[in-house]
Amino acid sequence: MSVVTRSPMTIAEHFIPEPFFDYLFIQKGKVHCVVDEAEGKFVLPRQSLRTLHTRPVELSFSTPLVLFGARFALGFAESFSGEIQANCFLKQDWVKRDANDLESFASQVTEYVRAQRSPKSPYPMLLPNFEESDWLVNFSTRHKRRLYQAAFGLSRKELQNIRNVHVFLEQACDFSSRNPRIIEHVTPDVFYDQPHLNHSFKKMTGLAPVEYFQNSSILQDNLMSASYNEVLPAVNKIGV
């Protein structure tokens, strides 16, 4: 992804939690991040793995910026050889050679992931529909909690809370600022009613649903578009 402006400028980003892992390779420029106000602002490593987050992240970058990104589904974590911690950007070094285009970046990331695969359990823990695999049925709640924590860095409940928000976001919602009619898009199996949706959404993202749709995020919007269309890894070029 290339972000270029006529003159240098700083762009702020509001990243919400997602049920995906992102590998970020910053080829040109810097990205600053605030995960926790107590920790303050820090500069993202040139290469990092964004793990699952349970709270929003504030990012900012100055133009010009050239960044490559690869997005991984939850199953990636079950065979990731390193330790997974939630709410962080893990410094990595997957891209060893020059990556001046998407093809080079994608091939190196794919090569590294395949070479480092080390399954943490005999079978996948989660099915494609987000249901728990049958082989876990005889394990105690406590033991399953440890398995989820070791694989994803989060509990099953925390994963489900993130997923619930994105069940709502994956819909083709076209809200008017005057009459958003969000109630038409509330899924009864996930949220009891609109107040339940509003509370859960704001707790997870830091924004009300209408506020979220009125905001834009160059980095996350491109990664999210790729995930919803199952195009992976993803890179886009944007001119501002």
Side-chain angles (χ1 to χ4, degrees):
M1 180 176 70
S2 176
V3 184
V4 181
T5 53
R6 293 177 181 175
S7 58
M9 63 182 296
T10 300
I11 299 175
E13 298 269 323
H14 184 85
F15 255 59
I16 68 170
E18 296 179 274
F20 300 100
F21 294 84
D22 294 321
Y23 192 76
L24 305 176
F25 172 43
I26 304 170
Q27 187 187 64
K28 182 179 181 179
K30 291 183 179 180
V31 178
H32 293 82
C33 174
V34 177
V35 176
D36 189 326
E37 291 185 0
E39 298 179 3
K41 182 185 292 188
F42 62 93
V43 178
L44 288 187
R46 187 163 181 259
Q47 297 188 51
S48 64
L49 177 68
R50 185 177 78 101
T51 63
L52 300 178
H53 283 64
T54 57
R55 53 183 182 266
V57 175
E58 301 298 329
L59 298 178
S60 64
F61 62 88
S62 298
T63 59
L65 175 74
V66 178
L67 179 149
F68 292 97
R71 170 151 285 193
F72 300 95
L74 290 174
F76 156 80
E78 297 189 58
S79 60
F80 178 66
S81 58
E83 181 182 357
I84 292 288
Q85 297 178 346
N87 299 303
C88 65
F89 289 79
L90 300 176
K91 184 178 180 179
Q92 301 291 304
D93 190 25
W94 299 3
V95 179
K96 307 290 185 180
R97 305 179 299 276
D98 289 341
N100 296 317
D101 54 42
L102 175 59
E103 183 179 357
S104 175
F105 167 76
S107 65
Q108 291 188 63
V109 168
T110 301
E111 179 182 337
Y112 181 91
V113 170
R114 287 176 176 173
Q116 298 296 321
R117 291 190 65 181
S118 179
K120 298 175 181 177
S121 57
Y123 306 102
M125 297 173 63
L126 292 173
L127 301 175
N129 62 0
F130 215 74
E131 293 295 325
E132 192 171 81
S133 296
D134 292 341
W135 70 275
L136 293 170
V137 68
N138 293 321
F139 288 101
S140 68
T141 302
R142 185 176 181 181
H143 185 60
K144 286 194 288 186
R145 188 181 301 116
R146 287 199 296 265
L147 291 175
Y148 278 103
Q149 195 71 37
F152 306 107
L154 296 177
S155 68
R156 171 113 168 79
K157 182 178 180 181
E158 289 172 318
L159 289 172
Q160 189 64 60
N161 288 341
I162 296 172
R163 176 59 183 155
N164 287 347
V165 167
H166 285 270
V167 167
F168 167 72
L169 288 178
E170 286 170 9
Q171 302 175 87
C173 303
D174 182 17
F175 300 143
S176 164
S177 58
R178 295 182 180 180
N179 186 25
R181 299 193 64 78
I182 291 177
I183 190 64
E184 294 181 359
H185 300 275
V186 176
T187 306
D189 294 339
V190 178
F191 299 107
Y192 307 129
D193 50 24
Q194 185 171 331
H196 182 206
L197 166 65
N198 291 343
H199 174 77
S200 299
F201 195 94
K202 189 158 189 175
K203 183 179 180 181
M204 180 69 61
T205 69
L207 300 169
V210 173
E211 290 178 311
Y212 171 79
F213 284 102
Q214 290 174 344
N215 282 273
S216 62
S217 169
I218 295 174
L219 300 181
Q220 188 162 39
D221 285 354
N222 280 274
L223 288 168
M224 186 179 290
S225 174
S227 65
Y228 289 166
N229 289 284
E230 300 182 350
V231 178
L232 205 72
V235 65
N236 291 278
K237 185 173 183 178
I238 299 173
V240 180

